[in-house]
């Protein structure tokens, strides 16, 4: 069952990042299917928790560097077929029937997606379409996207683990908002990475990142991280503003979203302090 859990995690990442490569309507299909695979991951996780089984988010690196979308589609289908052989390891037949049904449909649709040349997602050109960036801006943007794509993946998993292992409805509402926000940021940054030819899947997370003992300290540290992220967004907006006001406004938009994330974590801090 732990192998099933890992394989679903890897299939979710493969599907999500294949979506970043696509230049066509296939992207939306891949995003929808990645959402479904993430749900599968959370359902298996919940079954672990119900059975009091220890688990982790440890995965193998997911290779995605290809020239044709069809290569990744074949890889995702191969991963799905492996998952299908492992479903019997989960004893909850309601979960396995649903996952099996979903996977059958996903395979059917994936096989009909048109092929595309996606080599530009990995060509390291570091240019952004229709925008002339200075070398300083390119370097700043490249560093930002690598760091923030990993951070957003990390936050999705950290908040998901916290939500899965909490029975506090107030906190879980906040965790879910933060998960949803991190998904939006990850997709925004992932698409930009593909456009600049620097797409890559984040490395596996260390257990201590999401299996923390002190939620209060985690939230305090998280607030400081968000403040740091706001500063990086502001610097990046300043760096690209001379090249494109519209491009700069995107990072101002992301920067302002971080304000609400901070407010949510402060709200969570007050809640757990009152409950102490």
């Amino acid at each position: 069952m732990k192998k099933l859990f890992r394989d679903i995690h890897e299939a979710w990442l493969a599907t999500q990042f294949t979506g970043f490569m696509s230049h066509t309507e296939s992207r939306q299909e891949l995003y929808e299917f990645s959402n479904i695979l993430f749900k599968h991951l959370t359902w298996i996780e919940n079954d672990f928790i119900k059975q009091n089984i220890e688990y982790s988010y440890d995965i193998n690196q997911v290779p995605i560097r290809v020239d044709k979308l069809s290569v990744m589609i074949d890889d995702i289908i191969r991963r799905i077929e492996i998952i299908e052989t492992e479903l019997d390891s989960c004893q909850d037949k309601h979960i396995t029937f649903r996952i099996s049904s979903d996977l059958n449909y996903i395979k059917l649709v994936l096989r009909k997606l048109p092929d595309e040349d996606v080599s530009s997602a990995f060509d390291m050109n570091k240019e952004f379409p229709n925008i002339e960036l200075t070398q300083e801006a390119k370097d700043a943007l490249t560093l930002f996207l690598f760091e923030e794509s990993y951070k957003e993946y990390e936050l999705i998993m950290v908040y998901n683990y916290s939500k899965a292992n909490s029975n506090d409805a107030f906190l879980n509402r906040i965790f879910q908002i933060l998960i949803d926000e991190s998904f939006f940021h990850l997709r925004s940054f992932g698409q930009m990475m593909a456009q600049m030819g620097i797409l890559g899947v984040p490395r596996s997370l260390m257990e201590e990142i999401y299996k923390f003992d002190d939620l209060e300290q985690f939230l305090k540290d998280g607030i400081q991280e968000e403040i740091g992220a706001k500063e990086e967004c502001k610097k990046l907006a300043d760096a690209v503003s001379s090249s494109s006001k519209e491009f700069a406004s995107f990072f101002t938009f992301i920067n302002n979203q971080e304000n609400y994330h901070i407010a949510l974590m402060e709200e969570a801090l007050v809640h757990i302090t009152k409950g102490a």
Side-chain angles (χ1 to χ4, degrees), residues 191-202:
Q191 288 171 203
M192 293 173 75
M193 291 176 81
Q195 289 173 300
M196 294 183 71
I198 57 172
L199 187 61
V201 177

Side-chain angles (χ1 to χ4, degrees), residues 140-161:
L141 182 54
T142 298
L143 180 61
F144 176 88
L145 291 175
F146 273 116
E147 290 182 345
E148 292 302 305
S149 63
Y150 174 78
K151 187 197 102 171
E152 298 300 345
Y153 165 62
E154 176 186 293
L155 289 176
I156 288 168
M157 302 315 298
V158 168
Y159 290 126
N160 183 71
Y161 187 88

